[in-house]
């Protein structure tokens, strides 16, 4: 028990003194996951809008596919991206394996389905509610979409937070495609895995505390946004 | 921007089906700027709301045609008309932004938005709520905002679907005043109502519908003095049409009706 308490105290002091080693890992984590989120959003939102607002053959199949992809095992995604980026793979020439870029690619694959599925659901609900009114007013498709997106901004933000939560807490994919190289591709989750197996509980715990705090903050934000959205929507 | 007037418009044998059932049948009617206020009445399920939406151009007729003076083909509702739905959907924005969005969509120039929106909010008595989230208004205020939003675009033709349903008398009175004011300003009103007293107060012309058909159309005073259609007579006498119809068929006096008839399709 003593060992654990000592580790917790040491971890907290590392955090409070903004230990350089720790900060490097935390910053890279945030950089990778936030970039992945941004790219996933740029890809995912137009797809979500398209799926929510138009009807075409095969649409249902795509919906089910994206829903299923929300649960993709990160390790498998990592493996596939690894194969694609490895020297002998189709994208080997770009030399991306074991770089932060490779980690971002893997996380984009993980996060995009979440953005698509959750945003589609929210936009579709909004469309259902607004359709007759917008049509009655004679809104052009572009006007209609911008109104739907703005009025659904709270639930859309929630979808993005869920995506970020998945990216930042995931270990399998970044471990495989990043390689957990010190000062290069070491992020919070891979560092925890390594330090724990080395027996260095202090660093592992310190990072663990940051991760938990981060996911707590994300959830508080989700909750806040949701109640803000509901207050606006109250009728 | 003031778009071309859709009036007069004509329905020629228009029919609408929903879920394999014909809900509007062979409707032939013309609507002109006069008389200013037409009120459509009839029991639930008669197709009143659907007829309004069809005339508004929300969806095409499944059979027959509808021709507006502004556009002969069905594409989308003409911008010179507006509609207030039975359950108006307000945007998740402030009161004034709700009006501004309607102006923007209707193609008014940006310079006009603020003044026009403020003007219509003043007319509808909502000025002090301009910055309030629209959905936090009371039910009656929301209904007035929906009306304000529709009036802001200066329609030539305004459809109102049960504009005072579930409002208390004071709120309903305010809405009726606004309707009268709009009509006096030259807006053609076509509305539905389930409230016969309201219909007597507002209507210049009355249309009685039953089971997807127009059964009678007459100037309001004549309609209420002596409706020609037997169902219309029963309706304005406050009788329930589902057993009225049955008693006509079975020759039984109306008083003999029981609740068994409830299962009958109305």
């Amino acid at each position: 028990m003593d060992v654990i308490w000592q580790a917790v105290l040491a971890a907290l002091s590392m955090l409070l003194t903004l230990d350089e080693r720790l900060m490097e890992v935390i910053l890279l984590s945030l950089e990778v996951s936030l970039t992945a989120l941004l790219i996933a959003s740029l890809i995912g939102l137009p797809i979500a809008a398209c799926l929510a607002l138009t009807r075409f053959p095969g649409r249902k199949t795509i919906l089910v596919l994206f829903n299923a992809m929300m649960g993709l095992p990160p390790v498998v995604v990592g493996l596939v991206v690894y194969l694609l980026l490895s020297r002998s793979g189709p994208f080997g020439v770009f030399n991306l394996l074991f770089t932060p870029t490779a980690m971002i690619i893997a996380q984009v694959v993980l996060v995009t389905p979440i953005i698509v599925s959750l945003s589609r659901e929210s936009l579709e609900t909004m469309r259902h509610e607004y359709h007759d009114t917008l049509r009655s007013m004679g809104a052009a498709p572009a006007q209609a979409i911008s109104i739907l997106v703005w009025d659904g901004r709270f639930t859309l933000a929630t979808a993005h937070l869920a995506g970020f939560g998945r990216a930042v807490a995931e270990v399998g994919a970044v471990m495989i495609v990043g390689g957990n190289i010190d000062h290069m591709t070491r992020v919070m989750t891979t560092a925890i895995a390594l330090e724990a197996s080395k027996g260095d509980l202090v660093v592992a715990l310190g990072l663990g505390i940051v991760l938990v705090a981060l996911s707590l903050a994300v959830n508080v934000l989700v909750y806040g946004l949701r109640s803000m959205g509901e207050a606006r929507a109250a009728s | 921007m003031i778009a071309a007037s859709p009036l007069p418009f004509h329905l020629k044998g228009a029919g609408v089906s929903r879920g394999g059932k014909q809900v509007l049948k062979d409707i032939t009617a013309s609507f002109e700027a006069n008389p200013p206020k037409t009120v459509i009445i009839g029991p639930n399920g008669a197709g009143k709301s659907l007829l309004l939406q069809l005339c508004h151009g929300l969806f095409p007729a499944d059979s027959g045609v509808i021709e507006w003076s502004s556009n002969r083909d069905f594409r989308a509702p003409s911008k010179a008309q507006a509609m207030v739905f039975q359950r108006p959907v307000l945007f998740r924005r402030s009161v004034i932004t709700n009006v501004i969005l309607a102006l923007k969509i209707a193609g008014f120039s940006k310079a006009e938005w603020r003044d026009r929106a403020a003007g219509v909010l003043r007319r509808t008595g909502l000025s002090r709520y301009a910055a309030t989230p629209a959905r936090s208004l009371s039910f009656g205020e929301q209904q007035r905002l929906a009306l304000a939003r529709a009036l802001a675009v200066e329609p030539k033709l305004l459809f109102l679907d049960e504009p005072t349903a579930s409002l208390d008398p004071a709120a309903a009175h305010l809405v009726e005043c606004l309707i009268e004011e709009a009509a006096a300003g030259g807006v053609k009103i076509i509305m539905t109502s389930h409230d016969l007293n309201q219909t007597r107060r507002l209507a210049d012309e009355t249309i009685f519908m039953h089971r997807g058909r127009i059964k009678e159309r007459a100037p309001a005073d004549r309609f209420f003095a002596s409706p020609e259609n037997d169902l219309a007579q029963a309706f304005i006498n406050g009788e329930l049409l589902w057993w009225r119809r049955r008693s006509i068929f079975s020759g039984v006096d109306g008083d003999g009706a029981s609740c068994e008839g409830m299962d009958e399709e109305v």
Side-chain angles (χ1 to χ4, degrees):
Chain A
M1 253 338 252
D2 263 5
V3 183
I4 296 175
W5 279 119
Q6 275 165 19
V8 171
L9 288 177
L12 284 176
S13 84
M14 269 179 103
L15 282 176
L16 291 176
T17 55
L18 299 176
D19 180 81
E20 207 176 309
R21 201 152 59 106
L22 213 60
M23 287 305 131
E24 188 187 354
V25 171
I26 293 171
L27 286 180
L28 182 67
S29 251
L30 292 177
E31 190 189 320
V32 166
S33 295
L34 285 173
T35 313
L37 178 69
L38 179 71
I39 297 172
S41 169
L42 291 176
I43 301 172
L45 273 185
I47 297 178
C50 194
L51 288 171
L53 307 177
T54 62
R55 297 289 177 268
F56 53 88
R59 177 178 163 273
K60 280 258 159 67
T61 320
I62 297 177
L63 294 192
V64 173
L65 264 176
F66 272 114
N67 271 330
M69 281 167 66
M70 285 210 287
L72 277 180
V75 182
V76 179
V77 171
L79 181 64
V80 172
V81 174
Y82 179 90
L83 292 174
L84 292 174
L85 296 183
S86 68
R87 289 279 160 155
S88 51
F91 302 109
V93 286
F94 296 115
N95 249 335
L96 289 176
L97 203 57
F98 304 130
T99 64
T101 312
M103 298 155 76
I104 291 171
I105 294 173
Q107 292 201 338
V108 167
V109 176
L110 286 171
V111 174
T112 305
I114 295 179
I115 305 271
V116 170
S117 294
L118 298 184
S119 306
R120 194 236 358 132
E121 211 175 292
S122 125
L123 285 176
E124 208 166 318
T125 315
M126 297 282 302
R127 186 195 97 104
H128 185 74
E129 192 188 351
Y130 280 16
H131 178 265
D132 281 355
T133 303
L134 288 171
R135 186 168 169 77
S136 162
M137 289 179 170
Q143 284 176 324
I145 289 176
S146 75
I147 289 174
L148 288 179
V149 169
W150 182 253
D151 281 22
R153 60 194 182 282
F154 295 111
T155 42
L156 292 179
T158 308
H160 284 69
L161 286 171
F164 176 71
R166 168 130 156 123
V168 80
E170 164 283 317
V171 58
V174 283
M175 180 70 101
I176 295 184
V177 302
N180 192 25
I181 304 165
D182 207 4
H183 307 305
M184 260 286 287
T185 59
R186 181 158 299 169
V187 290
M188 284 191 272
T189 52
T190 55
I192 291 175
L194 177 73
E195 303 301 342
S197 64
K198 276 187 354 198
D200 188 350
L201 290 181
V202 175
V203 175
L205 263 176
L207 291 169
I209 291 170
V210 174
L211 257 185
V212 170
L214 208 61
S215 84
L216 205 68
V218 165
N219 277 294
V220 168
L221 258 177
V222 167
Y223 180 80
L225 281 173
R226 196 168 292 163
S227 45
M228 259 169 94
E230 271 160 18
R232 287 257 167 167
S235 55
Chain B
M1 189 209 72
I2 308 288
S5 172
L7 289 163
F9 69 92
H10 313 278
L11 294 99
K12 297 174 181 167
V16 170
S17 302
R18 286 285 179 269
K21 227 179 98 183
Q22 268 237 304
V23 281
L24 283 182
K25 298 165 192 160
D26 190 29
I27 304 241
T28 298
S30 291
F31 293 88
E32 294 175 30
N34 275 307
K37 286 167 285 147
T38 301
V39 180
I40 305 172
I41 55 173
N44 286 341
K48 306 185 295 281
S49 294
L50 220 53
L51 179 62
L52 274 196
Q53 293 172 8
L54 178 71
C55 291
H56 183 35
L58 269 192
F59 46 76
D62 295 315
S63 57
V65 288
I66 169 161
E67 287 174 351
W68 295 271
S69 296
S70 48
N71 49 319
R72 297 208 150 242
D73 299 323
F74 171 81
R75 276 202 314 279
S78 138
K79 292 192 176 179
Q81 43 162 316
M83 177 153 180
V84 176
F85 293 86
Q86 191 167 0
R87 289 198 192 133
V89 174
L90 300 175
F91 298 124
R92 292 166 172 75
R93 320 265 180 129
S94 69
V95 165
I96 197 161
T97 312
N98 261 274
V99 180
I100 287 176
L101 274 180
L103 290 166
K104 185 177 174 183
I105 291 171
F108 284 86
S109 73
K110 196 168 180 174
E112 294 179 275
W113 295 349
R114 282 271 149 199
D115 286 349
R116 280 184 181 275
V120 81
L121 289 185
R122 210 174 310 121
R123 270 165 64 200
T124 49
L126 292 169
S127 290
R128 64 200 159 113
Y129 300 119
T132 317
R135 296 191 174 205
S136 66
L137 294 181
S138 75
F139 206 78
E141 288 156 356
Q142 290 198 20
Q143 194 74 32
R144 262 189 288 156
L145 174 55
L147 200 56
R149 201 171 62 176
L151 288 170
V153 302
E154 301 199 347
K156 296 273 194 297
L157 172 57
L158 180 58
F159 296 99
L160 305 167
D161 195 356
E162 303 271 6
T164 62
S166 54
L167 295 189
D168 64 37
H173 175 71
L174 281 173
V175 169
E176 283 182 19
C177 291
L178 288 169
I179 294 172
E180 291 282 13
E181 220 177 279
V187 184
K188 164 78 175 178
I189 308 277
I190 302 179
M191 60 180 277
T192 62
S193 180
H194 67 271
D195 179 346
L196 287 173
N197 291 322
Q198 175 180 69
T199 309
R200 273 180 229 264
R201 285 194 296 274
L202 287 177
D204 300 313
E205 175 189 51
T206 311
I207 291 177
F208 174 73
M209 288 187 73
H210 188 58
R211 297 192 186 184
R213 291 182 196 278
I214 292 183
K215 291 288 186 190
E216 184 162 355
R217 179 178 183 178
D221 42 1
R222 208 188 76 205
F223 179 85
F224 281 107
S226 58
E228 285 167 12
N229 186 278
D230 59 334
L231 289 165
Q233 264 170 32
F235 186 73
I236 65 170
N237 288 332
E239 293 171 30
L240 297 172
L241 294 191
W242 53 267
W243 63 256
R244 170 84 193 179
R245 189 52 124 187
R246 202 172 64 147
S247 65
I248 290 169
F249 285 136
S250 59
V252 177
D253 187 76
D255 294 333
S258 71
C259 285
E260 288 160 33
M262 289 293 236
D263 295 329
E264 203 186 8
E265 188 191 326
V266 179

